[in-house]
Amino acid sequence: MAVLPLKYVGEAVLRRKADKVAQVDKPLARLLDDMVETMYAANGIGLAGPQIGVSRRILVVDAGEGPIQLVNPRIVDQNGRQMGTEGCLSIPAIYGEVERWKEIVVKGLNAEGEPVIYEADGLLSVVFQHEIDHLDGQLFTDLAVGLIDAEAIERDHEEDEEEEEE
């Protein structure tokens, strides 16, 4: 397995609708394994194909129950609404509040090409929605309210501390 380079906001692949996968094969299964390793190396809980420069409908998530690999995922049912803070590996240090479905049902294929269904709520629901948005060329910042630049806050805090020391 390998850690793959991430793509960052401003790169065209993040704004393109990803292509549907026609066939699940061994190279794709290896890519999904590499995506899991990349997600963990970046301290993430989700990663979509476009975030590694691959414009295909693939994603990996781990919201605390172990890794899930999905090919051609789609939301087939949803219920309720929830607000939560989100960030993104492709948009470092930026966070914002996003409204999402509270409960969803996701269908897709696993790394062996077998049909799978996930009923998700809470964090897993949010992560699936966030990553599926990536497959449609949408970023969380398109939906977020109250964006926060964590690096700017840290710089301001450091400047305040320096002024207090003088």
Side-chain angles (χ1 to χ4, degrees):
M1 292 198 297
V3 174
L4 306 168
L6 295 174
K7 299 297 179 186
Y8 296 99
V9 68
E11 297 191 53
V13 68
L14 293 175
R15 290 301 192 170
R16 252 189 320 251
K17 184 169 178 146
D19 297 326
K20 189 173 182 181
V21 174
Q23 179 181 346
V24 179
D25 53 18
K26 286 185 181 180
L28 182 66
R30 278 194 298 278
L31 178 60
L32 288 165
D33 287 341
D34 289 345
M35 288 176 65
V36 169
E37 186 169 338
T38 302
M39 174 182 68
Y40 289 149
N43 294 315
I45 59 174
L47 187 68
Q51 292 180 276
I52 56 161
V54 176
S55 191
R56 298 176 77 188
R57 297 190 75 79
I58 55 176
L59 62 82
V60 298
V61 302
D62 186 346
E65 301 292 321
I68 296 171
Q69 302 173 332
L70 271 178
V71 178
N72 297 331
R74 66 189 190 287
I75 297 170
V76 296
D77 196 15
Q78 63 274 325
N79 185 43
R81 301 299 282 172
Q82 64 183 349
M83 287 292 289
T85 303
E86 292 186 28
C88 181
L89 295 176
S90 293
I91 311 173
I94 302 294
Y95 301 91
E97 294 294 312
V98 180
E99 185 178 20
R100 299 278 187 189
W101 294 108
K102 186 174 183 181
E103 300 168 334
I104 61 171
V105 177
V106 178
K107 287 186 175 183
L109 303 174
N110 64 18
E112 289 78 41
E114 301 162 339
V116 291
I117 298 174
Y118 291 94
E119 294 181 11
D121 62 7
L123 181 59
L124 182 58
S125 173
V126 169
V127 178
F128 273 138
Q129 291 172 77
H130 179 108
E131 300 311 328
I132 290 170
D133 280 353
H134 274 298
L135 302 180
D136 294 328
Q138 187 170 33
L139 302 175
F140 89 95
T141 50
D142 299 336
L143 307 171
V145 295
L147 289 175
I148 298 168
D149 182 340
E151 289 179 347
I153 291 171
E154 181 65 23
R155 281 191 304 273
D156 290 346
H157 180 70
E158 288 172 0
E159 289 171 5
D160 290 345
E161 285 180 347
E162 288 173 6
E163 288 175 8
E164 288 176 7
E165 289 175 5
E166 292 176 356

